[in-house]
Amino acid sequence: MIERILVATDRSPTARQAVRWAADVAERFAADLLVLQVVPPTDHEVPIDPSELSRATDDLRRETAELVGLAGPRLRCRVLSHADPAEAIVAAADAEGVDLVVVGSVGMRDRTEFLLRNVPNRVSHAARCSVVIVQTTADEAAGPGGRGDGRSRADHPAGAVADDVEEGLLRRATQVGAVFAKLGIHHLRGEPSGDPSDGDDGQRREARLLRGALEGLGPTFAKLGQLLSTRPDLVPSAFVEELATLQDRVTPLTEVEVVSVMEQELGVPWEDVFATIDPAPLAAGTIAQVHRATLAGGERVVVKVQRPTARHDILTDLALLERFAEVAERRQGIRRVVDAPAIIGHLAASLRQELDFTSEAANINRLRRALAPFPRLDVPRVYDRISTARLLVMEEVQGVPLRQAPDGDARREAGRQLLESYYSQILTQGFFHADPHPGNLLWWNDKLYFLDCGMVDDVEPGVRELLILLVLAFWQSDATFLAEVVLLLAGDEGRSDVDLTAFTDDLARLVRRYQELPLRDIQIGPALQEISEISLRHAIRLPASLVLAGKALAQMQLAAAQLDPGLDVLSVAGSFILRHTGARVRQALDPKRLFYEAQKLQTRSVRLIEAVERLVGARPGPKLQVQFRGTERLEETVGRASRQLALALTASGALVGAAIAANSRTARWVPAVLGGTGGALTTGLVADLVRSRR
């Protein structure tokens, strides 16, 4: 039986329809009816005067009695003030012990009003009794984008976007070509870039023009500029500095688009997962938009929603850039200026990874494991159950910027642990956060939180070992060994065109300059960046992971210096490397590992002895054999060289003999015959040489 009914109203024409419907139900069941109006205060600091609420209640009672013809003790009216109408309705329903709550459907239009505090949906999810949402107007319930039409035309299912990439490629290429034609970058045609007398100023002007062009071309090209700003190994320093100022300039998503993507990814109405979402985005970027939100259970989160057309737009631009890279690779003039295939390849890999939010979620979880030994460092928790390739839900870090962290032991410990964690990430675990600038770090609950794990990188095991040697060589001021390690890192240890003396001298000057600095002023990140720049001047290209590691270390040390200005960077690095080396020694002394390595050594020793015995004939079996690949070509080359050598020796002998005979008293036919023979042999030698070069 329904004995008590609560109907919410804002006294609008549509809300009156809900009141009439509730009154009809109350009449049918002889139930009591409570008509409730919630008035949000205009100023949160100043509550509405009780006398005003009393007058409003009297007005509501008279209006309702006239509207439904119901009066007496079965009709009660109440007006109260509350900042959150949905919360107030649910609380009143609990306090009154009602059996049914009735609300109008106003606020459900376009499935987007959740951003504007959708009262009906929130009441239906939070109330502990039955809730009826009355269809107050057809327009409100079935407007464009209603429950049956939640998608905008711009939406594309993720799996079908790739088929549309080729469409519009020519039009996009024309647009890009027009922008760069206006830019007029002369060096792309092999011409000098500006007035040589301008020096760096001319290059900086070109960098500013390039930045403006990339901003005008849209999100993908803006992202290209941002990525180039992190790669000093690929572009000049003037361009790095200018492109670092690039910002995403994109129009925020509409509420329809946000709802559409969320419900496509969740597979259920948004209200089944979220209680509220802040209408103002925290950020609107190239690929995604971020909002604060509250889960149905009350947890505060941030929601990262991918732009509906992001995949299509980015894959179209990438297809165009990859074609450009193919052409640029064949143009020597462009190749001398920039390594286009390397840049486009790096951009494509980075953007394709960023388009899949499951990769970012995996990076966050991986970084959490890497930070486990450091109690003052953390990352936001990911809600994996409701995160997808286009929707990422994370714990909201309700902290303050790094510089506002309160002074104390916790702050200084976090600074030291930040340094140690990066040495651990880069030198031991081979996985690190590649963009730790202060904007991506927040202080909360006496911890330092890493945000935005979209830019991470891996360091290969071989590079890690050599990087430790590089740090040690720099620490010990051994420029000669430092040069050898750099060549090993670049894989150029066998190159003969590198001026090793000049390269070592440049590194020695760098080492001496750092020797003159106080210990607390020495920063490993900038040192690695300078080593990379010196290497580039000598045409030695270091691994991209090393360049990114140097940039990340430089940013990290700036953050660590804000936390603890007195931190000794080299002492932290030295103690970490000593601990790392000690751990490796202890691992090597593990009995199980010692037994395993001894068995490997025994097996290889026996095989080596057997091979030596067979080589010297002390053991039956195949003897030493040397195999040459391409023997047919080798035999042909040796035969041709032998023939040409024989012709050359015979021709020279005949010519020398003719000269001697001409000066002696021998018969006249002798020098003539010898000279003719020498000439014929010389002609044959020349013809053979010409044939061999074809």
Side-chain angles (χ1 to χ4, degrees):
M1 295 293 294
I2 298 177
E3 298 180 353
R4 295 184 182 86
I5 300 173
L6 182 152
V7 59
T9 180
D10 59 3
R11 300 171 70 174
S12 65
T14 54
R16 292 190 184 100
Q17 297 184 43
V19 174
R20 288 194 189 99
W21 192 94
D24 289 342
V25 175
E27 184 68 26
R28 188 179 310 164
F29 287 93
D32 294 338
L33 179 64
L34 170 62
V35 181
L36 177 69
Q37 180 183 2
V38 181
V39 180
T42 55
D43 188 341
H44 292 286
E45 302 297 329
V46 181
I48 296 178
D49 188 87
S51 61
E52 293 184 17
L53 293 177
S54 178
R55 285 194 296 272
T57 299
D58 293 338
D59 292 342
L60 178 62
R61 185 182 299 110
R62 284 192 298 271
E63 179 182 301
T64 304
E66 295 174 2
L67 179 66
V68 301
L70 186 67
R74 288 175 49 200
L75 174 65
R76 290 190 299 130
C77 295
R78 182 181 176 191
V79 177
L80 57 85
S81 176
H82 198 285
D84 189 336
E87 185 178 321
I89 293 170
V90 172
D94 288 343
E96 296 287 342
V98 302
D99 305 303
L100 179 67
V101 174
V102 179
V103 289
S105 62
V106 174
M108 298 180 67
R109 183 175 180 174
D110 292 345
R111 305 285 294 115
T112 63
E113 295 294 335
F114 73 98
L115 299 178
L116 304 175
R117 295 189 177 276
N118 183 335
V119 173
N121 281 324
R122 292 183 58 210
V123 169
S124 69
H125 279 74
R128 299 181 183 180
C129 61
S130 298
V131 177
V132 172
I133 300 177
V134 178
Q135 185 98 318
T136 53
T137 66
D139 290 340
E140 291 290 346
R147 173 113 19 208
D149 183 22
R151 296 186 182 183
S152 68
R153 293 183 178 180
D155 287 335
H156 294 270
V161 174
D163 297 334
D164 300 331
V165 170
E166 292 298 325
E167 297 182 6
L169 195 59
L170 181 60
R171 183 171 63 254
R172 181 61 169 162
T174 303
Q175 179 187 2
V176 173
V179 171
F180 277 101
K182 292 180 181 179
L183 177 63
I185 302 180
H186 303 293
H187 61 252
L188 289 180
R189 301 194 301 268
E191 300 176 7
S193 57
D195 187 350
S197 62
D198 287 344
D200 289 342
D201 291 337
Q203 194 175 68
R204 290 186 183 279
R205 277 198 297 273
E206 280 192 356
R208 286 194 294 272
L209 290 172
L210 177 60
R211 178 180 60 80
L214 293 177
E215 284 180 346
L217 285 172
T220 306
F221 287 85
K223 194 70 176 179
L224 171 61
Q226 291 170 354
L227 286 175
L228 288 177
S229 71
T230 68
R231 295 297 304 272
D233 58 321
L234 296 179
V235 294
S237 58
F239 283 80
V240 169
E241 295 173 7
E242 188 65 35
L243 295 178
T245 65
L246 259 172
Q247 300 295 328
D248 294 343
R249 295 184 179 179
V250 294
T251 303
L253 294 174
T254 65
E255 295 178 2
V256 173
E257 290 171 320
V258 172
V259 171
S260 175
V261 174
M262 289 176 64
E263 295 196 341
Q264 287 176 34
E265 296 304 302
L266 292 170
V268 296
W270 67 268
E271 314 96 291
D272 291 348
V273 178
F274 298 97
T276 61
I277 297 183
D278 192 336
L282 281 174
T286 300
I287 292 176
Q289 186 162 301
V290 181
H291 289 263
R292 285 192 178 95
T294 306
L295 294 180
E299 302 96 327
R300 293 177 61 174
V301 296
V302 291
V303 182
K304 186 175 182 180
V305 181
Q306 189 170 121
R307 302 181 72 84
T309 61
R311 180 173 293 272
H312 176 272
D313 295 343
I314 286 174
L315 291 182
T316 299
D317 283 342
L318 285 179
L320 181 63
L321 289 171
E322 285 167 350
R323 291 187 183 182
F324 167 75
E326 292 174 3
V327 175
E329 194 173 12
R330 299 193 294 267
R331 296 288 298 274
Q332 186 176 0
I334 299 178
R335 252 195 345 262
R336 282 198 304 265
V337 176
V338 66
D339 188 352
I343 294 174
I344 304 306
H346 179 62
L347 172 69
S350 176
L351 284 177
R352 287 192 172 100
Q353 185 177 26
E354 288 192 48
L355 284 170
D356 184 0
F357 290 172
T358 58
S359 296
E360 183 172 351
N363 291 338
I364 293 173
N365 292 329
R366 188 177 175 187
L367 186 59
R368 175 177 290 104
R369 292 191 296 271
L371 297 177
F374 306 98
R376 294 294 179 189
L377 307 177
D378 209 342
V379 291
R381 182 165 65 93
V382 176
Y383 291 81
D384 295 300
R385 186 176 58 84
I386 52 177
S387 294
T388 68
R390 297 198 300 159
L391 182 70
L392 183 61
V393 183
M394 298 171 289
E395 169 189 23
E396 181 187 358
V397 178
Q398 304 161 40
V400 297
L402 196 64
R403 62 180 179 276
Q404 296 179 19
D407 192 20
D409 292 339
R411 174 173 176 153
R412 286 185 287 274
E413 287 174 13
R416 184 177 186 86
Q417 289 183 15
L418 179 61
L419 281 175
E420 290 188 354
S421 73
Y422 259 83
Y423 298 142
S424 175
Q425 290 175 49
I426 294 172
L427 301 178
T428 303
Q429 303 181 54
F431 172 80
F432 65 97
H433 190 295
D435 195 23
H437 64 78
N440 280 339
L441 299 169
L442 283 182
W443 184 265
W444 187 41
N445 293 336
D446 286 340
K447 285 185 179 182
L448 188 64
Y449 279 79
F450 287 82
L451 308 181
D452 191 1
C453 293
M455 186 178 291
V456 297
D457 201 19
D458 290 282
V459 184
E460 302 81 0
V463 174
R464 273 180 258 159
E465 299 294 331
L466 291 172
L467 188 53
I468 292 175
L469 291 178
L470 185 146
V471 173
L472 288 172
F474 185 82
W475 191 15
Q476 297 299 315
S477 304
D478 189 347
T480 302
F481 185 57
L482 181 61
E484 294 177 20
V485 173
V486 171
L487 289 173
L488 287 171
L489 278 166
D492 292 339
E493 64 273 18
R495 279 179 53 182
S496 58
D497 59 332
V498 175
D499 189 343
L500 187 57
T501 302
F503 181 49
T504 304
D505 289 344
D506 286 347
L507 291 177
R509 281 191 288 272
L510 173 67
V511 169
R512 283 196 298 271
R513 181 157 54 81
Y514 272 85
Q515 280 180 320
E516 298 170 357
L517 293 175
L519 285 178
R520 68 177 54 188
D521 294 338
I522 296 177
Q523 297 185 352
I524 294 178
L528 286 178
Q529 289 182 302
E530 290 191 64
I531 291 173
S532 299
E533 293 171 4
I534 292 172
S535 301
L536 281 176
R537 290 203 299 269
H538 290 270
I540 300 170
R541 190 174 295 279
L542 295 175
S545 58
L546 180 63
V547 179
L548 281 177
K551 174 181 175 293
L553 282 169
Q555 290 181 330
M556 175 273 303
Q557 288 178 211
L558 289 176
Q562 287 190 24
L563 291 169
D564 184 3
L567 194 60
D568 185 346
V569 174
L570 276 186
S571 68
V572 176
S575 62
F576 171 81
I577 291 175
L578 289 176
R579 287 200 308 274
H580 173 71
T581 305
R584 295 186 62 182
V585 170
R586 287 192 297 273
Q587 183 183 11
L589 293 177
D590 179 68
K592 293 180 181 178
R593 187 170 185 84
L594 283 174
F595 176 76
Y596 171 68
E597 295 294 340
Q599 293 302 310
K600 280 173 50 178
L601 179 61
Q602 179 184 356
T603 302
R604 290 174 177 173
S605 300
V606 170
R607 292 178 62 189
L608 177 62
I609 293 171
E610 290 175 353
V612 172
E613 288 177 344
R614 282 195 298 269
L615 177 63
V616 300
R619 176 187 289 268
K623 304 297 185 291
L624 176 66
Q625 296 179 352
V626 180
Q627 296 180 348
F628 293 95
R629 296 180 180 177
T631 54
E632 295 179 0
R633 185 74 179 268
L634 178 62
E635 291 175 359
E636 180 185 345
T637 302
V638 172
R640 184 170 60 248
S642 301
R643 183 175 64 253
Q644 292 172 354
L645 179 61
L647 284 172
L649 291 174
T650 306
S652 61
L655 293 174
V656 171
I660 294 173
N663 292 324
S664 65
R665 296 181 178 179
T666 57
R668 293 183 178 180
W669 59 270
V670 174
V673 171
L674 291 174
T677 302
L681 291 173
T682 302
T683 303
L685 175 61
V686 172
D688 196 15
L689 289 171
V690 171
R691 280 197 305 273
S692 65
R693 291 187 177 181
R694 290 178 180 174

